Amino acid sequence: KVFNDVKVEYQTGLSAPFAATDWAYSPLVYWDKTATQYSFFAYAPHSGDFTGTVALGGNDATTFSITGFKQATTVADQIDLMTDLTNQNNVTANIGNNDVKFTFGHILSNINVTMAVSAALKADETDNPVSVETVTLGTITMDGSYAYDSGASAYKWTLSTSSPTTQLFSATQSSGNVFASKALTATPAAVPGLTGMLMIPQAVNANYEIYVKYKINTEVFERTIKLSDFKKSGTSLGTWDPGYKYTYNIVIGPTPI
């Protein structure tokens, strides 16, 4: 091992052998001219920026693992965990000053909630305006481990089973509302506080729900919708997969959501 979990940062004001602005690390390491090949694997951000233990057991990327990963329960503090473990960064001897380049892939799932009103209800908003008081998503398991599964020949997430952290996420309110009266249109709008959430890929089980409390004029409605009830092309979504973005769109109409 030439490097072992070395932190690399983009910096300015650097001196040789780095450029004035470059990706840099310390202490400096030089190419071994007798080496026949180097294999590089990378992840971002560095483990110093999240809760979890990163390990690389050998020269094979399949020995890479992240154990005890705990995603932040505040959306603004969540990290976008990425890796390049594809073995594409092999370099041979006599490489000179060539850069080592990485192509990172997202290994978390990007979760979003949007809301709209039906065209019929929007046309009737003078007499029946819609306002939204509460939207929640949860509860979601927030910790797990990422490692190579030899049986599946792939890297996989495993949720923590011993006292896992779970979180209910609530939409951001302004003056007691998520969306004020008549604010929603037939075009889906992002629900503040429930967009850009970065979650550990996992099965969408029966406990994962969206709860909505809203008004049509002065009448109050409440609805709890299981995530498994949302469909795309008639098919229920059973799992969140790594590197995918999912948007749950809620449409309020004169009949139930």
Side-chain angles (χ1 to χ4, degrees):
K1 287 183 181 179
V2 179
F3 297 100
N4 186 12
D5 201 26
V6 172
K7 187 173 186 177
V8 184
E9 297 180 287
Y10 190 75
Q11 300 178 28
T12 59
L14 298 171
S15 56
F18 299 109
T21 58
D22 209 345
W23 291 91
Y25 61 91
S26 180
L28 196 62
V29 178
Y30 292 90
W31 298 113
D32 181 350
K33 294 298 184 182
T34 66
T36 57
Q37 180 175 285
Y38 288 102
S39 296
F40 292 91
F41 314 104
Y43 70 96
H46 188 263
S47 60
D49 296 323
F50 62 82
T51 299
T53 301
V54 176
L56 181 64
N59 295 329
D60 188 337
T62 61
T63 64
F64 176 89
S65 65
I66 302 175
T67 56
F69 175 75
K70 189 182 295 293
Q71 180 62 292
T73 54
T74 301
V75 176
D77 296 332
Q78 291 179 341
I79 66 161
D80 185 6
L81 194 56
M82 297 181 285
T83 62
D84 185 348
L85 307 173
T86 59
N87 230 346
Q88 294 176 349
N89 291 300
N90 288 350
V91 292
T92 58
N94 303 316
I95 64 171
N97 294 322
N98 294 332
D99 291 337
V100 177
K101 298 182 179 181
F102 295 99
T103 302
F104 287 95
H106 304 276
I107 64 172
L108 297 176
S109 301
N110 186 320
I111 310 301
N112 305 268
V113 181
T114 60
M115 293 194 74
V117 293
S118 69
L121 197 53
K122 184 62 180 177
D124 190 36
E125 73 173 359
T126 300
D127 295 322
N128 290 288
V130 174
S131 59
V132 180
E133 180 180 316
T134 305
V135 185
T136 63
L137 170 67
T139 53
I140 312 299
T141 300
M142 304 302 292
D143 43 9
S145 296
Y146 183 73
Y148 188 79
D149 184 321
S150 57
S153 298
Y155 298 90
K156 295 178 66 176
W157 280 97
T158 304
L159 296 180
S160 297
T161 56
S162 178
S163 302
T165 300
T166 59
Q167 182 68 18
L168 178 71
F169 292 86
S170 298
T172 304
Q173 290 186 337
S174 177
S175 301
N177 288 293
V178 176
F179 291 104
S181 178
K182 302 181 182 181
L184 285 173
T185 70
T187 301
V191 176
L194 298 182
T195 59
M197 297 176 286
L198 296 166
M199 305 297 193
I200 295 175
Q202 55 195 277
V204 179
N205 65 39
N207 297 322
Y208 290 22
E209 300 172 331
I210 294 178
Y211 164 79
V212 184
K213 184 178 181 180
Y214 62 102
K215 289 181 180 178
I216 299 179
N217 202 341
T218 60
E219 187 174 359
V220 178
F221 296 85
E222 294 180 274
R223 182 76 187 276
T224 299
I225 316 165
K226 294 183 181 299
L227 294 194
S228 57
D229 288 342
F230 286 84
K231 299 180 185 296
K232 180 179 181 181
S233 301
T235 302
S236 294
L237 179 70
T239 60
W240 293 336
D241 290 322
Y244 279 78
K245 179 178 181 179
Y246 302 97
T247 299
Y248 294 90
N249 187 36
I250 300 165
V251 181
I252 297 175
T255 56
I257 290 177

